[in-house]
Amino acid sequence: MKMISKIAKATLGLVFIGSSSVFAQSLADAKKAIDAEQYQKAKSMLKNLTVTQADKDENFFYLGWVYIKQDYTDSAKTAFNKGIAVNPKSGLNYAGLGAVARLDKDKAGATTNFNQAVSLAGKNSKPFVYVGKAYLLPTTADGKISVDDASAAIAVLQKGKAANPKDVELLITLGDAYASQVKSNEAYQAYSDATTIDPKNPAAKVATGVLWRYANNFEDSEKQFQDALAIDPNFGPAYREWAETDNRWANADPKMASVKIKQAVEEYKKYLSLTDLSVESQMRYADFLISAGQFQELQTVAADLSKSAKSNLRAYRYLAYAALENKDYPAGLAAMNTWLAKADPKRIVPRDYLYLGRLQIASGQDSTGINTLRKAISLDTTQVDVYGEIAKSLYGKKKYGEAAATYANYIAKSRKVQLNDYLSMGMSYYKAYNDQYFSTAKPKPVADTTLLTKADSAFSYIQHKAKAPSGIVALFQARANDQKEPADRTAFKGYAKPYYEQYIALTTAKGVTDADKSFMGEAYAYLGGYYEFKEKDEAKAVENYTKAKELDPTNKQAVNYFARKAAGGKSK
């Protein structure tokens, strides 16, 4: 792959540091490679160990755990079952089967296997560790750990701690469980205990750095990563978490954004160079690029991944996401369709349908895209902001009634509503009424005047909440209220008068441009009609009609008025 080879050339020296260890056949070396996220290296070692030391169930467990980390749960399950075949009392491999069941959303299977793992553990703390780790594996698109899962992890890890209070891996995992629930004091204590027991453990330093990151203490966070790299310069996870920290720093401090994003990308490339440049590492890099908003880089990486013979199908998801952001809609649509058609249905997440719907709309398939977005919301009801996208698309399709109802739904549910959304809703209601009023359908529908009331309410809300009243909003308030007038002008009520007057005052104050003249003509013509029919004030009628004609010589009301005057007052 171009991207991989490019990074490899830039970091050739780093890739081969300690490369002789690839041929080491001890389980300790394989576990060290797992901790450093050198999964391909670890897998190669463990596959060999399952042959040369086929009677040791631990070899099969750690091979299965690598498969879990690489998102190959079927292969993981096979390895764990082989470990149990070698040793039916292998608590570790039952923990592994529980992890697979949990990822497959088999809650009962997970519980059964976890209980079996704990019952077989005895004084061995490792089954407790990996049951705890299994509870902390993310199973949702947002990667968050539920309170129940975190509590279950903490409970089992505390039992493991009683069996072996000096298990550093257990203490770090316990800290991770607390950190997932923002229990920072408890997490910090667990990490500190791990460091006290093994001061040369880089993982404990990195975990502490992550904890500081979520407190937005970026300087202390970076110091922890530097300390970890001082212990082991080739410990890749330190660079990965450093990259994630700089990305968060960029989002928290706009002044630092450009510098920190650049540093984050370079740190992540360093991580890749230290973690065997596998497809799985590239996948993790792709996840990082999404969070960092680096979609040009993401599309390049995803395109290279999708061409690889060993490609994980997930590359097509990344390609689709990146292509949408880069406005390469044909490539994005093709990639997303490939992903949805070929991926295991368990791997499809609501966000995939969200991107598919956006790609369809961007490709001109509005109706299909709207339905897809609705499916995304039905699968993840927290995605209420998508109602705004659907409403915008419906408005573009001139389906104003549906657009208005959808905007109303969006405004009622979203926390990101802006005054422009109220404007769009008001315009939708106003145009929905006009569609009915001017309809040529037979039988003609009865125009629903409540639509005008809702439009006026939306416009009024804007004028009340805005820092200063808006001329364009006043204009549409006037139009909506004018539509409420009786068809017979002799029964004129003047509902729109204050709004047209406000529009004139606001526009005059800012300075009338050529673009304003026809609207100003409309406003003065309305006032001319008001004084002609409602107030019977001919002087004021002439004054306003004259201004209307001066601003817009083509204004029909003004032209008609002066034509009637010239004809002796007879209507035309």
Side-chain angles (χ1 to χ4, degrees), residues 177-238:
Y178 281 125
S180 74
Q181 303 305 303
V182 201
K183 295 182 177 180
S184 301
N185 292 336
E186 294 90 337
Y188 182 76
Q189 186 61 57
Y191 297 146
S192 296
D193 290 346
T195 299
T196 300
I197 293 167
D198 183 4
K200 294 297 183 181
N201 189 304
K205 298 286 187 184
V206 171
T208 305
V210 172
L211 193 64
W212 289 131
R213 175 173 82 219
Y214 286 117
N216 285 351
N217 186 346
F218 302 119
E219 290 86 355
D220 283 344
S221 182
E222 285 192 340
K223 187 177 183 304
Q224 293 295 323
F225 304 138
Q226 290 165 351
D227 288 349
L229 291 167
I231 295 169
D232 182 357
N234 298 318
F235 192 67

Side-chain angles (χ1 to χ4, degrees), residues 202-507:
K205 298 286 187 184
V206 171
T208 305
V210 172
L211 193 64
W212 289 131
R213 175 173 82 219
Y214 286 117
N216 285 351
N217 186 346
F218 302 119
E219 290 86 355
D220 283 344
S221 182
E222 285 192 340
K223 187 177 183 304
Q224 293 295 323
F225 304 138
Q226 290 165 351
D227 288 349
L229 291 167
I231 295 169
D232 182 357
N234 298 318
F235 192 67
Y239 282 108
R240 174 173 54 74
E241 296 296 356
W242 197 345
E244 296 285 3
T245 297
D246 277 340
N247 180 38
R248 185 179 174 98
W249 196 340
N251 290 326
D253 185 354
K255 293 179 182 178
M256 300 291 287
S258 178
V259 171
K260 287 301 175 184
I261 285 293
K262 184 177 180 181
Q263 289 177 2
V265 171
E266 292 307 311
E267 287 151 2
Y268 216 106
K269 287 180 179 179
K270 187 89 168 184
Y271 160 73
L272 289 174
S273 74
L274 293 168
T275 52
D276 61 35
L277 298 173
S278 65
V279 169
E280 287 72 27
S281 293
Q282 286 282 298
M283 290 291 181
R284 196 159 188 171
Y285 181 43
D287 284 327
F288 166 76
L289 291 172
I290 290 174
S291 67
Q294 299 295 292
F295 292 104
Q296 291 290 345
E297 173 88 348
L298 176 62
Q299 191 163 357
T300 300
V301 171
D304 287 344
L305 282 167
S306 67
K307 294 172 187 174
S308 169
K310 297 180 180 180
S311 173
N312 186 311
L313 272 173
R314 198 151 42 102
Y316 290 101
R317 170 192 279 164
Y318 295 130
L319 186 57
Y321 287 11
L324 173 67
E325 300 294 343
N326 295 329
K327 296 181 171 54
D328 186 0
Y329 304 128
L333 199 54
M336 184 54 79
N337 284 331
T338 298
W339 164 248
L340 292 173
K342 295 184 177 181
D344 184 330
K346 291 181 294 188
R347 302 299 178 198
I348 306 300
V349 297
R351 187 169 63 169
D352 294 333
Y353 290 107
L354 183 60
Y355 271 79
L356 175 61
R358 289 169 175 167
L359 284 163
Q360 289 167 333
I361 289 171
S363 301
Q365 302 173 25
D366 297 70
S367 297
T368 303
I370 288 168
N371 288 334
T372 304
L373 290 180
R374 284 175 170 152
K375 180 174 183 177
I377 297 173
S378 71
L379 294 171
D380 182 1
T381 55
T382 66
Q383 294 285 347
V384 293
D385 294 334
V386 180
Y387 284 116
E389 296 179 47
I390 295 173
K392 183 178 179 181
S393 186
L394 287 167
Y395 187 92
K397 294 280 289 181
K398 297 184 178 180
K399 295 182 177 180
Y400 299 120
E402 290 181 62
T406 308
Y407 271 122
N409 202 7
Y410 169 65
I411 287 170
K413 295 179 178 180
S414 176
R415 294 183 179 181
K416 297 181 180 179
V417 177
Q418 298 179 346
L419 291 180
N420 273 341
D421 298 314
Y422 281 90
L423 179 60
S424 297
M425 180 173 69
M427 292 291 294
S428 298
Y429 280 124
Y430 172 69
K431 292 191 174 186
Y433 174 83
N434 280 344
D435 277 353
Q436 295 176 357
Y437 187 81
F438 294 108
S439 173
T440 57
K442 293 182 180 180
K444 184 176 180 177
V446 177
D448 182 1
T449 55
T450 63
L451 296 173
L452 294 175
T453 302
K454 290 177 181 179
D456 185 44
S457 177
F459 298 142
S460 295
Y461 181 87
I462 297 169
Q463 299 293 60
H464 177 68
K465 292 291 185 178
K467 291 180 180 179
S470 161
I472 194 66
V473 173
L475 178 64
F476 278 100
Q477 273 188 285
R479 289 176 175 177
N481 279 279
D482 188 34
Q483 290 283 48
K484 298 177 184 178
E485 293 283 359
D488 181 2
R489 277 318 206 196
T490 60
F492 208 75
K493 302 296 183 184
Y495 297 133
K497 180 176 180 287
Y499 305 110
Y500 273 124
E501 288 176 335
Q502 184 183 32
Y503 172 72
I504 291 170
L506 290 169
T507 306

